[in-house]
Amino acid sequence: MDVAFSLLLIAHLFGLMLVAAAFLPLLGMMGQGGAAPQTNRLLTRFGHYGIIVLLLSGPLMIWLRNGGFEGVSHWFWAKMAFVVLLGAGVVMSAISARKMRAGDAAATVRVRAGRIIAVVSLLAIVVFAVLAFN
């Protein structure tokens, strides 16, 4: 069972890296001129895949380690609240990005707000994960 847990943890951390990579253009890490739109969309897609990996591997790790969700700390539930907020930020940003590309100027503000919500949520998820599992 330790091997299965270790493999799930590796997948979970890989998913976290994929989600974090989706925010590189937002953080200005793609060079002076920014990334090409295709690169931004590819990184965003990687981020979406990362969220899926996180949502699948996380509960499986809890199940393997604890046999269910009984006994998890309040820090874990705080982390899960930020996971929901991360998802909301990603969805808000994705929906607004389509409208922005179609010419809706007001959607630009919603894209930025969704990304900020997602980045702050991602940071909080890491903090609360450390508190929950340490």
Side-chain angles (χ1 to χ4, degrees):
M1 187 152 40
D2 286 334
V3 172
F5 184 85
S6 295
L7 291 173
L8 284 169
L9 181 58
I10 290 168
H12 201 69
L13 294 174
F14 183 72
L16 184 63
M17 289 188 310
L18 289 174
V19 172
F23 297 112
L24 290 176
L26 176 69
L27 299 174
M29 306 255 181
M30 295 301 294
Q32 195 71 353
Q38 298 88 347
T39 303
N40 288 343
R41 284 191 208 116
L42 181 62
L43 288 173
T44 298
R45 184 171 296 140
F46 285 163
H48 294 169
Y49 294 147
I51 289 172
I52 292 167
V53 169
L54 290 171
L55 291 175
L56 293 175
S57 62
L60 287 172
M61 288 191 314
I62 294 290
W63 181 72
L64 279 177
R65 181 65 47 101
N66 299 337
F69 287 97
E70 294 177 20
V72 294
S73 71
H74 61 283
W75 297 117
F76 173 80
W77 294 113
K79 174 183 136 354
M80 293 310 295
F82 281 104
V83 168
V84 171
L85 196 57
L86 170 71
V90 168
V91 168
M92 182 171 107
S93 182
I95 290 171
S96 298
R98 285 188 201 108
K99 293 179 181 178
M100 182 182 71
R101 285 190 293 274
D104 183 356
T108 304
V109 174
R110 291 189 304 273
V111 168
R112 185 175 307 269
R115 288 180 177 174
I116 290 170
I117 289 168
V119 167
V120 170
S121 297
L122 183 60
L123 294 173
I125 288 167
V126 171
V127 169
F128 284 107
V130 169
L131 293 171
F133 298 110
N134 191 4

